Amino acid sequence: MTDVWFAGGLVADGSGGEPSAVDVRVTDDVITAIGSAPAGARTVDLDGRLLTPGLIDAHVHLGLSSPIRAQFGFQLSVAEIAADIFATAGHALDAGFTTVRDVGGVDGGVVDVIAKGKVRGPRVLSCGPVQCQTGGHGYYGAEWEPTELWPEHHVPGLCALSLMSGNADELRRNVRESFRRGATFLKLCVTGGVVGRHDNLSDTQFTVEEIAVAVEEAAARGTYVTVHAHNNAGIRNAVRAGARCVEHGTDIDEPTAALMREHDVALVPTFAVVDQILGGESMDLDPATKDRVAGVRDRMASALRTARAAGLRIGLGSDLIGPHQRRRGEELRLRSELESPMQALVAATRVNADILGLGETVGQIRAGMRADLVAWQSNPLKDAKAFADPQMAALVVKGGLTVKDIR
């Protein structure tokens, strides 16, 4: 048994309360006390730095860490795709993220090698491949590529973006296959999306009855369904079918927010990817993608205000894709501008942990929680730009192990 006190800093514990000058004792991989380090105790000197829980990104795509069209055009070797995935996992950890929820792209092997410590990365919860309807969002085959060739893009154990279903029976088979591969929750695309070629944001995809099949299969395993959804019709279909979380939620209006509140459905907005696309970073996307994203950021900001007013649980996800995923904390900076740095921090810790079903083990600094901690070189609650700069995450502790220390 090893005891160490993280001492001499300020602690923002993830609850939303004001930071306090207390010390944190970690025994092996668990936080065991909050108080004052006794004389002679083994300590890690924080030197006045702010200590927060390890950050959680509830919407990542580790399996989309390479140039997109090249990856799905058989232009990259499996070795290069793997190298990009593992590099992105390491970058997430270095930015202060100790837990992520992968909502489509990685296969179970990536989760396993990170969990075993063979590759640096955060704790990963994965849905495996996204569930999409035939030709719907999540399908990125070439224009004349036969539908039946799409699974050839999968690399078993490494990456598998989506499984397509033409009806409820096919969907049931595909979600069971996802669970066989190690999925711990399900994600369905129930509307069109921004990064796609075969659909529009206004499209709805899957019927209520089809979505309910996935919900039934998830419930049978004690887990849940989250949905990619931009428009209100698709969101309402998913809520009525029993989905527990909505990703993006770009056009949420008051009636839809009220329906989500009635059914305790959470929201995970995703602003960083919109800025990533508009910012012109080389993501190797179809040039038309910029046209599709026009206006999405303002509408998503309006939806955030509507959701907050309705009392929804609102998490945080970056949705970064392609080879430029180092600044994952940009999502917190953007949310800080729309709300406050403390609200962004709580969304990325306590609220995200609750949405992911991990609220009893991560997301806060208190006795009994897993020791996931970040000490910041510059206080991000005073200047949220620090959230976006990986160099500001001076010390990162995951499960009691120091995985980064540049103090």
Side-chain angles (χ1 to χ4, degrees):
M1 181 182 295
T2 59
D3 272 317
V4 62
W5 286 82
F6 292 80
L10 289 174
V11 174
D13 63 8
S15 69
E18 285 298 310
S20 55
V22 294
D23 303 330
V24 178
R25 184 178 74 183
V26 171
T27 304
D28 295 332
D29 61 347
V30 177
I31 297 169
T32 50
I34 309 293
S36 297
R42 180 186 173 198
T43 62
V44 173
D45 185 9
L46 297 177
D47 194 23
R49 295 179 178 87
L50 182 73
L51 188 71
T52 70
L55 302 179
I56 302 169
D57 190 335
H59 193 119
V60 308
H61 292 289
L62 298 180
L64 300 181
S65 295
S66 301
I68 303 300
R69 287 189 292 179
Q71 179 172 348
F72 295 116
F74 296 109
Q75 298 174 37
L76 302 176
S77 69
V78 171
E80 185 167 357
I81 294 170
D84 290 342
I85 289 172
F86 297 146
T88 295
H91 295 325
L93 200 61
D94 288 337
F97 289 85
T98 52
T99 302
V100 299
R101 181 179 64 162
D102 194 288
V103 290
V106 295
D107 215 350
V110 175
V111 179
D112 290 344
V113 294
I114 293 175
K116 291 175 180 176
K118 293 186 175 182
V119 174
R120 293 183 73 246
R123 191 174 299 108
V124 182
L125 284 71
S126 172
C127 68
V130 173
Q131 309 299 323
C132 67
Q133 73 176 30
T134 303
H137 189 68
Y139 170 64
Y140 294 101
E143 194 69 28
W144 303 113
E145 179 182 313
T147 300
E148 60 269 20
L149 292 185
W150 177 241
E152 298 301 316
H153 292 274
H154 295 184
V155 182
L158 183 67
C159 57
L161 179 58
S162 62
L163 294 172
M164 286 194 291
S165 304
N167 55 49
D169 288 340
E170 291 180 4
L171 180 61
R172 191 182 299 275
R173 180 191 66 213
N174 284 338
V175 300
R176 289 176 175 175
E177 171 65 12
S178 294
F179 282 124
R180 183 196 70 79
R181 297 185 191 182
T184 56
F185 68 97
L186 296 175
K187 179 190 172 188
L188 274 66
C189 293
V190 301
T191 75
V194 171
V195 183
R197 298 172 56 196
H198 307 281
D199 49 44
N200 298 303
L201 289 179
S202 57
D203 294 351
T204 60
Q205 298 176 1
F206 286 129
T207 64
V208 173
E209 292 75 20
E210 288 169 333
I211 300 168
V213 165
V215 170
E216 179 185 20
E217 291 292 330
R221 295 161 178 80
T223 189
Y224 67 97
V225 169
T226 190
V227 295
H228 157 105
H230 288 277
N231 66 62
N232 287 300
I235 294 170
R236 289 193 293 268
N237 285 346
V239 172
R240 290 174 181 136
R244 305 304 302 162
C245 186
V246 170
E247 313 294 314
H248 314 301
T250 300
D251 290 321
I252 289 175
D253 57 17
E254 290 183 5
T256 302
L259 182 67
M260 292 173 65
R261 180 70 180 85
E262 178 186 349
H263 292 269
D264 191 26
V265 175
L267 171 67
V268 177
T270 54
F271 290 93
V273 69
V274 178
D275 278 23
Q276 185 186 27
I277 293 169
L278 292 174
E281 287 184 341
S282 178
M283 299 160 68
D284 195 32
L285 297 172
D286 189 301
T289 301
K290 272 197 175 184
D291 297 331
R292 295 164 68 90
V293 80
V296 165
R297 195 183 191 285
D298 289 343
R299 285 152 47 204
M300 196 178 289
S302 176
L304 173 62
R305 293 190 293 270
T306 299
R308 184 69 69 190
L312 301 187
R313 289 179 297 148
I314 306 174
L316 178 146
S318 67
D319 195 19
L320 297 179
I321 56 175
H324 301 287
Q325 300 192 33
R326 287 179 174 82
R327 293 174 62 87
R328 191 166 299 282
E330 186 72 12
E331 186 69 26
L332 282 87
R333 186 191 70 78
L334 294 169
R335 281 286 291 277
S336 297
E337 291 179 351
L338 295 167
E339 299 191 292
S340 73
M342 181 60 82
Q343 282 179 299
L345 176 63
V346 172
T349 53
R350 178 178 61 81
V351 178
N352 267 356
D354 178 58
I355 291 172
L356 272 57
L358 301 176
E360 297 302 313
T361 56
V362 299
Q364 294 189 69
I365 297 176
R366 57 180 172 84
M369 304 294 278
R370 186 170 286 153
D372 290 352
L373 307 166
V374 182
W376 298 90
Q377 193 73 18
S378 176
N379 190 338
L381 298 180
K382 294 182 177 179
D383 183 355
K385 291 178 182 177
F387 281 133
D389 183 354
Q391 290 298 109
M392 292 295 102
L395 174 70
V396 181
V397 177
K398 173 192 168 190
L401 297 176
T402 298
V403 293
K404 178 187 179 184
D405 189 354
I406 58 171
R407 290 173 298 158

